[in-house]
Amino acid sequence: MDYKMLQYAVEDGVAVITLDYAPTLNALDMNMALELEQALKQAEGDPAVKAVVLTGAGRAFCGGGDIRYMKAHCGEPDFGAKSMAPLAGKLSDIVIYIRHMSKLVICAVAGAAAGGGCNLAYGCDFVFAAEDARFLQAFVGIALMPDTMGGYLVPRMAGLHRAMDMFVTGRPVTAQEALDLGFVKEVVPKDELMPKVMAFAKWLAKGPTHAYAAMKKMMFVSMYDEMYKFRDAEVTLQADCAGTADFREGITAFLEKRPARFTGK
């Protein structure tokens, strides 16, 4: 497939998927989501691929949603139901697909992993972070709720109260805090990130991949069996948030670089 928003390459049994669309800091709009879904399916269906690495080009892993697109279209009738709900559903489907893949997926994060980008990283089997990595549940700043399965994954990884703190404040979680909380396997200097991740991925590629696949199935049943039920609730709630005046004010304030004046409407 001829990808326009990401790069796909295979090296020594490892498929490397690189989000690469600088104008939006690799934002997860529908075009990016569809390409990412296809790349993951390409890796899963290729017998030569034994492990997958997901990373981002440029100064951020992923900047979250495309705020400029949201601002341009948020006034359209039923924007939440017609635009935000399908995107939220697709992003959740991608995380569920990663959890279902037979192949282990390792995420390499440098710079910001914001909003859906943060939860996409958390949805992978392993996360390596550069020292400058920052993980942000940035949704609250534009009056949205977490999507990309964040409301399902984060409480299970960090506990209810820590998850609510991240969701409600939207504060950045440093690479070291993410390591301490168990979100991240290892923190390394930025220039060592991809060499470290590729070495780990190539080591996995030489391992008992059938057993790895069985472990993923076991973990899904153990931890993630209600993901589908949660997905539907997440899509409905996000669409509702995207129809509010607070959402329109949030994205306007973000683009105007000023504090938002929320009214609860």
Side-chain angles (χ1 to χ4, degrees):
M1 179 175 176
D2 183 21
Y3 296 107
K4 295 179 174 60
M5 304 186 77
L6 59 80
Q7 300 175 37
Y8 183 94
V10 177
E11 178 183 330
D12 296 335
V14 177
V16 181
I17 301 170
T18 306
L19 309 182
D20 189 7
Y21 194 70
T24 62
L25 291 180
N26 306 328
L28 294 171
D29 62 9
M30 185 59 83
N31 291 327
M32 176 70 86
L34 289 171
E35 288 201 7
L36 176 56
E37 180 181 55
Q38 182 57 43
L40 289 166
K41 289 181 177 180
Q42 182 176 344
E44 176 72 352
D46 185 351
V49 171
K50 307 299 182 183
V52 180
V53 168
L54 175 62
T55 190
R59 58 191 179 91
F61 168 68
C62 176
D66 186 346
I67 304 296
R68 295 186 186 281
Y69 172 86
M70 295 178 189
K71 173 62 176 173
H73 296 276
C74 67
E76 297 173 359
D78 298 322
F79 172 76
K82 292 181 178 178
S83 294
M84 291 296 287
L87 177 58
K90 179 58 66 178
L91 294 175
S92 291
D93 288 343
I94 287 170
V95 171
I96 293 171
Y97 186 77
I98 289 172
R99 301 312 314 165
H100 266 301
M101 288 175 68
S102 65
K103 295 161 186 182
L104 293 169
V105 182
I106 307 101
C107 189
V109 176
C118 177
N119 296 326
L120 174 63
Y122 291 163
C124 296
D125 297 300
F126 299 96
V127 182
F128 286 72
E131 292 172 337
D132 72 337
R134 296 293 183 271
F135 300 85
L136 302 94
Q137 297 291 335
F139 306 91
V140 67
I142 55 172
L144 292 178
M145 53 156 272
D147 59 24
T148 320
M149 301 303 293
Y152 191 91
L153 294 169
V154 178
R156 285 163 173 75
M157 299 170 78
L160 176 63
H161 292 101
R162 288 194 182 100
M164 281 300 291
D165 171 59
M166 293 172 195
F167 295 157
V168 170
T169 66
R171 66 178 180 82
V173 172
T174 66
Q176 184 59 50
E177 183 181 0
L179 177 67
D180 294 341
L181 291 173
F183 291 113
V184 166
K185 173 176 169 57
E186 193 169 340
V187 177
V188 299
K190 186 175 182 178
D191 61 354
E192 297 177 16
L193 178 63
M194 287 309 295
K196 174 73 73 170
V197 168
M198 289 303 295
F200 180 65
K202 290 177 183 180
W203 176 78
L204 290 174
K206 296 178 181 178
T209 53
H210 185 83
Y212 296 158
M215 292 174 196
K216 288 194 67 168
K217 289 180 181 178
M218 173 187 69
M219 293 296 286
F220 192 93
V221 173
S222 173
M223 294 291 293
Y224 307 116
D225 212 21
E226 294 187 348
M227 267 186 157
Y228 295 105
K229 180 180 178 181
F230 177 87
R231 173 207 180 275
D232 293 340
E234 179 185 80
V235 169
T236 300
L237 291 167
Q238 191 67 298
D240 179 66
C241 288
T244 64
D246 275 352
F247 169 70
R248 294 189 292 275
E249 164 62 12
I251 57 177
T252 300
F254 180 90
L255 292 172
E256 293 178 355
K257 303 185 186 317
R258 61 170 175 81
R261 295 184 288 271
F262 294 129
T263 63
K265 297 179 181 177

